[in-house]
Amino acid sequence: MAGKDRILVLGPTGAIGRHIVWASVKAGNPTYVLVRDTPPTVNKPRLVTAANPETREELLQNFQNSGVFLIQGDMNDHQSLVSAIKQVDVVICSFGRLLIEDQVKIIAAIKEAGNIKRFFPSEFGLDVDRQDAVEPVREVFEEKAKIRRIIEAEGVPYTYLCCHAFTGYFLRNLAQIDTTVPPRDKIFIQGDGNVKGAYVTEADVGTYTVEAVNDPNTLNKAVHIRLPANYLSLNEIVSLWETKIGKSIEKIYVPEEEVLKDIQELSFPNNYLLALYHSQQIRGDAVYEIDPTKDVEASKAYPHVKYTTVDEYLNQFL
């Protein structure tokens, strides 16, 4: 019996990359990560740091202790990238928003290496071919869609992973700005609060990603993570939170025109976060029908996965 595919994770110390690495290790896939000698300095928003407190150095040491293969290289060094890719079967990219277009370098290296069974580009959000977001996030989604088209045109085998709302960005603060915990007195809700959103922990994104790696049925398809217990409106989530804390919260519903004005006036990262919330809570970018010819619904394909529910996730803040 053949062994499991070897997985290379690019961006392994980021908010989602670290969870893909751990999921790969847990699944028994030989796991490789590309590590730069001199990592870039990145000022991460407080919300991201709160959700991922482990430092890069701690992560890499823990990876190594767990049998992960650390490969020295750089995305901007073509030959080191080709060399790394030749050692594996599957490449998963989890780059952040500023490096989306740089994935053309990965595609070129994959083409030269000639051995990759599957490429997972940096998606890990809404389905970029089914979105109606506004700036500043729209530009990022359009860049991701452009990368899809290049992958397809180059004939690179792929899987797109659409997971929608990370709990670390959307749920730990109930989509509020400038806080890292759920509010207990007052909450601002975009629109009428009744639009369904899809929530998932970053760790579960890692698990479902590796499930997709090991599933031949996801080849050249998009995998959608919309988990039944976590497919909820913000009103439903707030009601759940109120029950947990034993009190009602003042709800202030913000009309779309006011949300759009705030997005234009705020600076990064708050304008970016607000636009992400707007995409899900008002535009309904997590609400669509699955096309079985090109889509896979993760909850149906992998019913054995025990995922963290919204209910369970919120308990940590009590």
Side-chain angles (χ1 to χ4, degrees), residues 65-243:
N65 293 344
S66 299
V68 175
F69 299 95
L70 273 57
I71 304 175
Q72 295 295 323
D74 193 311
M75 177 187 61
N76 295 313
D77 180 345
H78 179 72
Q79 287 309 315
S80 74
L81 190 56
V82 171
S83 176
I85 288 171
K86 282 184 175 180
Q87 300 179 52
V88 301
D89 305 295
V90 175
V91 176
I92 302 175
C93 182
S94 60
F95 288 165
R97 63 185 179 86
L98 298 178
L99 297 175
I100 297 302
E101 291 185 313
D102 282 348
Q103 290 180 106
V104 294
K105 300 172 185 177
I106 302 169
I107 295 169
I110 287 173
K111 291 282 287 184
E112 181 172 329
N115 62 299
I116 291 303
K117 298 179 181 179
R118 202 97 62 88
F119 176 43
F120 286 64
S122 185
E123 295 255 342
F124 306 107
L126 53 70
D127 186 339
V128 295
D129 286 335
R130 293 179 169 110
Q131 58 89 15
D132 188 28
V134 299
E135 297 295 359
V137 298
R138 186 178 187 86
E139 179 182 7
V140 177
F141 297 153
E142 289 177 346
E143 289 173 358
K144 290 183 177 183
K146 180 181 177 182
I147 291 297
R148 284 189 178 191
R149 304 292 85 83
I150 295 172
I151 290 168
E152 293 157 7
E154 292 291 338
V156 172
Y158 65 84
T159 299
Y160 305 139
L161 206 294
C162 308
C163 61
H164 298 281
F166 295 160
T167 52
Y169 287 65
F170 287 75
L171 196 57
R172 69 177 295 119
N173 59 353
L174 299 193
Q176 303 302 288
I177 297 298
D178 287 330
T179 182
T180 60
V181 295
R184 290 174 175 260
D185 299 307
K186 179 171 65 176
I187 184 168
F188 293 90
I189 298 174
Q190 292 191 16
D192 62 10
N194 291 323
V195 178
K196 293 284 187 181
Y199 300 85
V200 62
T201 67
E202 289 86 337
D204 287 336
V205 172
T207 298
Y208 283 111
T209 300
V210 177
E211 288 282 345
V213 167
N214 293 323
D215 179 4
N217 293 322
T218 62
L219 176 64
N220 294 338
K221 290 185 178 180
V223 175
H224 303 262
I225 306 178
R226 297 185 301 177
L227 309 171
N230 294 359
Y231 193 50
L232 302 168
S233 70
L234 194 53
N235 280 337
E236 290 172 319
I237 294 172
V238 171
S239 177
L240 179 62
W241 178 239
E242 288 176 324
T243 299

Side-chain angles (χ1 to χ4, degrees), residues 25 42 135 168 264:
V25 171
V42 179
E135 297 295 359
Q264 290 179 339

